[in-house]
Amino acid sequence: SAVTRSGVSGGHGRVDRDGPGIDVAPPMSRKPTRRLLVVMAAGVAVVLSGCGQGWQDEVPAAPVTDLLRTEQISAASQDSAGHRLAILLTAAHQERGEPYDWGADGPQVWDCSSFVRHAYAQVGIRMPRTARDQRAWMADGNGVRVEAGDEQPGDLVFWDDYRGPDEIGHVAMVWDPNRSSTIEARPPQTGFYAYDGAKDNNRFEIWRATELTGPLASG
């Protein structure tokens, strides 16, 4: 039978084992691996990888300095919001090339939501651990919904994944909206990818953290 690659872990690669809302990560090996799950459905073996996206090649991406020269960003570059954005993008870029692993929480191996949480923590923004909870955190007064086409570098893109068509399962950070590119943790490693293909998903949302436009937080 055919074997296909599709993803499973949208951002946390975790399974609700102990009751609703309690996520338990699979055990982590000391050495980064490309964790696979093999399930049988109607006699067909399906290989599932973390973050629900399968293996993809990186896409070309502009350097941080070019992103900060865009008209929208340069207008804010003299205030704290522009400074925070520069720190956020630089922090994300520094993790490029680090391996992906299902349920990984850093500091040298990531899944999609731990990567986002780490980058935002560098500007004092504390987010929940999972992609689903990060989206809920945004909607609970900590973010504003952004229409497709109005996204900016640093915004977060959420879409449905292994949890099903009605559940958020993956998160990525917008890198260059002109190229619909992200920086994100997905198999096989953290890097630049495209989010065009997710726009037709049942759930596809873009959010901007309101704290990103405020003064730098301490601690």
Side-chain angles (χ1 to χ4, degrees), residues 80-93:
S80 61
H83 181 48
R84 287 165 70 85
L85 182 59
I87 294 173
L88 174 67
L89 296 176
T90 300
H93 187 270

Side-chain angles (χ1 to χ4, degrees), residues 116-201:
V116 164
R117 185 176 67 163
H118 166 77
Y120 270 79
Q122 308 315 302
V123 291
I125 298 177
R126 311 301 178 188
M127 286 187 172
R129 171 63 181 88
T130 69
R132 181 176 59 175
D133 289 347
Q134 287 170 0
R135 186 270 173 196
W137 178 84
M138 287 279 195
D140 193 29
N142 296 293
V144 292
R145 184 84 176 264
V146 177
E147 293 293 328
D150 292 334
E151 62 266 33
Q152 296 180 13
D155 290 346
L156 297 183
V157 186
F158 299 90
W159 60 82
D160 60 273
D161 207 330
Y162 77 108
R163 289 182 177 276
D166 297 321
E167 294 281 352
I168 294 298
H170 184 67
V171 59
M173 185 186 301
V174 175
W175 185 258
D176 186 350
N178 293 322
R179 298 183 181 182
S180 294
S181 67
T182 60
I183 186 165
E184 59 182 286
R186 66 190 298 168
Q189 66 182 26
T190 300
F192 299 115
Y193 300 96
Y195 58 90
D196 269 340
K199 291 180 178 179
D200 293 330
N201 282 30

Side-chain angles (χ1 to χ4, degrees), residues 13-28:
R14 309 205 170 194
V15 180
D16 291 333
R17 297 175 181 166
D18 297 337
I22 301 176
D23 289 338
V24 180
M28 291 290 299

Side-chain angles (χ1 to χ4, degrees), residues 207-218:
W207 288 82
R208 183 172 302 146
T210 52
E211 288 185 66
L212 191 59
T213 62
L216 278 168
S218 58

Side-chain angles (χ1 to χ4, degrees), residues 8-19 21-28 35 37 49-52 100-106 109-115 117 128-133 162-163 168-169:
V8 69
S9 144
H12 36 12
R14 309 205 170 194
V15 180
D16 291 333
R17 297 175 181 166
D18 297 337
I22 301 176
D23 289 338
V24 180
M28 291 290 299
R35 182 175 283 110
L37 300 178
S49 68
C51 272
Y100 169 89
D101 201 3
W102 186 27
D105 200 20
V109 188
W110 308 97
D111 70 9
C112 64
S113 58
S114 66
F115 168 73
R117 185 176 67 163
R129 171 63 181 88
T130 69
R132 181 176 59 175
D133 289 347
Y162 77 108
R163 289 182 177 276
I168 294 298

Side-chain angles (χ1 to χ4, degrees), residues 2-62:
V3 177
T4 61
R5 281 176 176 168
S6 64
V8 69
S9 144
H12 36 12
R14 309 205 170 194
V15 180
D16 291 333
R17 297 175 181 166
D18 297 337
I22 301 176
D23 289 338
V24 180
M28 291 290 299
S29 62
R30 296 187 56 155
K31 181 179 180 180
T33 62
R34 293 176 177 177
R35 182 175 283 110
L36 300 177
L37 300 178
V38 180
V39 298
M40 294 298 297
V44 177
V46 182
V47 180
L48 301 176
S49 68
C51 272
Q53 307 308 307
W55 278 256
Q56 288 196 3
D57 294 328
E58 286 195 67
V59 300

